[in-house]
Amino acid sequence: MPLWRKIERDVRDTLGEGALWSARDGAFYWVDILAPALNRLSLSNNSITRWDMPAPLGWVAERVSGGLIGGFRDGVAAITLDPLTVGERSDPEPHLPGNRMNDGKADRHGAIWCGTMDMAEEEVTGSLYRLSPGGDWQVIDTDYTVPNGPAFSPCGNWMYHADSGRRVIYRFALTEGGVGERQEFARFSEEDGYPDGMTTDAEGYLWSAHWDGGRITRFAPDGTRDRSIALPAKRITNIAFAGEGLDRMFVTSASTGLPESEFDGALYEVDAGVTGNPAGTYLG
């Protein structure tokens, strides 16, 4: 029996991403970057709601004050739903109008970690940023082609982040004094495709999506491969654990650049056999 099931819906995402479980809302959120749109799956009744966004949207996270914060092409902004409102942008790169936000998450301390990239995927102009609860931007790393992640170890000592174009997942040590130097954690082969969105489970293992690899892979804390789960979509993009027990894994995919298919761009639920970690909340 397959370890996955496709969530039935009328819309296929062009570029599904930004997977987020909201315990507060009892819902799984994800974005369609290129539509652009924000999706919500309410687990209480399996209803799906989709909102059109005013600009490409790479990720969302919960805000402690209510609503969401989202990473748009031109910076981050508060988002409220029902009715939809989008606040003023805070842009760390006004000098790079060709860049956009790609992926991001809140950490356990209430900060946002997010990456930027060249919208045309031609220039190496991406960076990894930390947005403090006070609204201050800090450059963590630079010279990214397509940044993806981040993910945080449950012990709080490590942050994982990928440069998909280079087929490498990195890790950074997190200390009270700041962020350690970038270390190579895992490298993908051409057959693997490209590392994309990721998350960690309660056992401290890292799960990575495979863009152009049609699967997700679980990595041990030392970077060795534990196992993979194949999916019928070619471009797997992001992963999040959801549900009250964080025992339901949802996986997003993309249809961009592919022939029309019922599988590419679909949302999947996967039986991973493990539980996840709570998502962080932005304190700003």
Side-chain angles (χ1 to χ4, degrees), residues 206-220:
L206 178 74
W207 291 82
S208 175
H210 289 242
W211 175 277
D212 280 349
R215 60 191 183 274
I216 57 176
T217 294
R218 188 184 193 228
F219 291 89

Side-chain angles (χ1 to χ4, degrees), residues 16 33 35 39 66 86 88 107 122 124 129 131 148 157 164 171 177 184 187 200 205 219 221 252 261 268 274 276 284:
I33 297 177
N39 303 297
V86 177
E88 184 178 350
D107 66 18
E122 296 174 350
V124 185
Y129 290 92
L131 176 64
N148 268 298
N157 295 333
S164 299
R171 71 173 185 174
E184 184 171 315
R187 182 175 289 272
T200 56
Y205 284 61
F219 291 89
T252 59
S261 161
Y268 297 89
V274 292

Side-chain angles (χ1 to χ4, degrees), residues 109-255:
H109 304 294
I112 295 287
W113 299 70
C114 55
T116 61
M117 61 176 282
D118 175 31
M119 186 80 176
E121 299 185 32
E122 296 174 350
E123 305 294 331
V124 185
T125 54
S127 294
L128 171 63
Y129 290 92
R130 179 183 181 273
L131 176 64
S132 75
D136 298 317
W137 289 100
Q138 176 188 3
V139 179
I140 302 298
D141 202 15
T142 58
D143 297 325
Y144 280 82
T145 57
V146 182
N148 268 298
F152 307 96
S153 64
C155 66
N157 295 333
W158 299 101
M159 187 271 293
Y160 301 94
H161 196 245
D163 190 332
S164 299
R166 294 187 170 100
R167 303 183 195 265
V168 178
I169 299 174
Y170 302 109
R171 71 173 185 174
F172 298 77
L174 301 180
T175 67
E176 292 185 3
V179 183
E181 292 186 3
R182 184 176 74 188
Q183 306 171 22
E184 184 171 315
F185 176 75
R187 182 175 289 272
F188 279 35
S189 67
E190 185 174 349
E191 181 183 359
D192 291 328
Y194 302 86
D196 209 309
M198 58 190 77
T199 191
T200 56
D201 62 35
E203 297 175 5
Y205 284 61
L206 178 74
W207 291 82
S208 175
H210 289 242
W211 175 277
D212 280 349
R215 60 191 183 274
I216 57 176
T217 294
R218 188 184 193 228
F219 291 89
D222 64 1
T224 58
R225 300 190 184 207
D226 176 68
R227 59 190 169 97
S228 294
I229 298 175
L231 291 158
K234 182 177 182 180
R235 295 183 166 170
I236 307 300
T237 54
N238 214 319
I239 311 165
F241 288 92
E244 290 185 6
L246 294 171
D247 55 356
R248 299 178 66 179
M249 175 187 278
F250 288 96
V251 176
T252 59
S253 69
S255 60

